[in-house]
Amino acid sequence: MEISRVLLVCHPARQNAAQTAQQLADFLRSKDIRCEILNDYRHIPKYPLADLCVSLGGDGTALRCARATAPLQMPLLAVNCGSLGFLSACEEAEALHCLQQILDGNCQITRRLLLSADIVRAGQKPVTNLLAFNDCVIKTLQPRAFPLRVQYNGTELKNYYGDGLIVSTPAGSTAYSLAAGGPIVEPDLEVLLLTPICPHSLTERTLLLRAEGELVFSPAFANAQDRASVSLDGQNDYELQNGDRVILRRAKHEARLVSAGTYDFFARLREKLEWGTRRA
């Protein structure tokens, strides 16, 4: 890939991320590549012609940058300057070497589908085109179960009764959905996962649906004062009440994640989640 301008997006509270960003900036400028160091991912759209975005932080920083770069079709290199770093292509100490490999063309771009959510509220202006990389979660705000009506492509699917529902992308199957008992899904599959949260039923399991369909969620509370929330990637939250609807579909744009060499999803599972590790 041809690279003439790079955005370096740092987690604002991580000093190590800022130091690594400066090292990468010095390296890039030595090769006559323009670069900008940003402390806020919301500034990314100001540079639509950048060829590469590098996030320096944890998975939260990578998620924010993935949602911001997807509409620009801008590749994203996630450098882990945090703890888990499941979405990262490399660790902080490897960042310079990883970037050099990408400049040399020894890299792979993998595409990840995103979710697009619209929230329709009675008597209020709808909130539209909210993006999620991992998941969209509809969850009660009270410590009690509530019914959630679900339609898929205009057909009644079912009423879920419990604490809520996680709608996950394949890439997000290793996040909240996994913690709620959902399966691990290879991230390039074209499916959506519906995983119930604490269902009041012995038969509830994760449901896989084609990613091209449209889902509509309508909470139905027994008490007028009850509320739920819809959360995108655990970072953007909106309150729901009776009569509100959440419309969920596949986003028009995909995230483009860059890795040096060849991306190995199963190696990432073994390394980050200790998948298949036998305990003595």
Side-chain angles (χ1 to χ4, degrees):
M1 50 189 292
E2 295 290 333
I3 297 178
S4 60
R5 189 169 194 175
V6 177
L7 304 181
L8 302 168
V9 184
C10 304
H11 188 294
R14 295 188 186 275
Q15 184 62 32
N16 59 322
Q19 293 172 349
T20 301
Q22 189 59 58
Q23 292 173 358
L24 296 181
D26 293 341
F27 168 73
L28 290 167
R29 288 165 183 157
S30 72
K31 294 181 174 294
D32 295 324
I33 296 174
R34 298 176 64 188
C35 61
E36 312 287 342
I37 298 178
L38 308 178
N39 292 319
D40 191 332
Y41 73 98
R42 287 171 290 192
H43 295 320
I44 290 175
K46 296 179 181 179
Y47 304 92
L49 300 181
D51 303 301
L52 176 68
C53 177
V54 181
S55 71
L56 299 110
D59 284 332
T61 304
L63 286 171
R64 292 182 175 93
C65 290
R67 295 194 302 267
T69 55
L72 304 174
Q73 299 182 322
M74 185 187 302
L76 171 66
L77 170 66
V79 176
N80 182 32
C81 300
S83 53
L84 179 62
F86 189 84
L87 297 177
S88 63
C90 64
E91 299 301 312
E92 184 179 6
E94 307 164 326
L96 196 60
H97 175 68
C98 183
L99 190 55
Q100 179 65 69
Q101 286 188 292
I102 291 172
L103 294 178
D104 291 341
N106 181 24
C107 61
Q108 180 181 356
I109 297 179
T110 56
R111 298 173 183 266
R112 298 289 179 259
L113 70 86
L114 301 182
L115 297 172
S116 176
D118 296 339
I119 302 174
V120 181
R121 296 160 164 168
Q124 298 186 44
K125 184 178 180 180
V127 184
T128 61
N129 198 31
L130 302 169
L131 296 180
F133 181 96
N134 272 343
D135 48 45
C136 173
V137 178
I138 302 174
K139 192 173 183 179
T140 178
L141 292 178
Q142 284 76 32
R144 52 178 171 267
F146 75 105
L148 182 64
R149 181 188 178 194
V150 181
Q151 293 177 306
Y152 179 64
N153 285 340
T155 300
E156 196 78 19
L157 191 60
K158 72 183 300 294
N159 283 342
Y160 285 90
Y161 189 74
D163 282 2
L165 190 65
I166 304 164
V167 184
S168 168
T169 65
S173 70
T174 52
Y176 192 9
S177 177
L178 179 65
I184 294 173
V185 176
E186 198 171 4
D188 56 357
L189 295 180
E190 303 285 316
V191 296
L192 300 179
L193 294 76
L194 274 64
T195 302
I197 305 171
C198 298
H200 199 256
S201 168
L202 297 177
T203 60
E204 294 285 5
R205 295 292 186 272
T206 297
L207 177 66
L208 269 65
L209 299 171
R210 288 184 300 107
E212 300 306 323
E214 179 182 89
L215 286 158
V216 180
F217 304 92
S218 306
F221 303 107
N223 303 305
Q225 70 272 19
D226 283 355
R227 296 290 185 272
S229 70
V230 55
S231 178
L232 289 304
D233 286 340
Q235 295 177 335
N236 299 313
D237 302 330
Y238 302 85
E239 189 173 289
L240 299 175
Q241 58 186 349
N242 271 331
D244 292 350
R245 291 180 297 134
V246 179
I247 304 171
L248 203 61
R249 59 180 68 89
R250 179 177 184 165
K252 295 179 181 179
H253 302 290
E254 297 175 318
R256 301 184 177 190
L257 304 185
V258 184
S259 59
T262 302
Y263 177 75
D264 188 336
F265 172 65
F266 299 105
R268 183 55 50 88
L269 288 178
R270 293 191 297 270
E271 176 190 357
K272 297 294 185 178
L273 299 184
E274 299 183 358
W275 177 60
T277 301
R278 184 177 184 272
R279 297 297 183 182

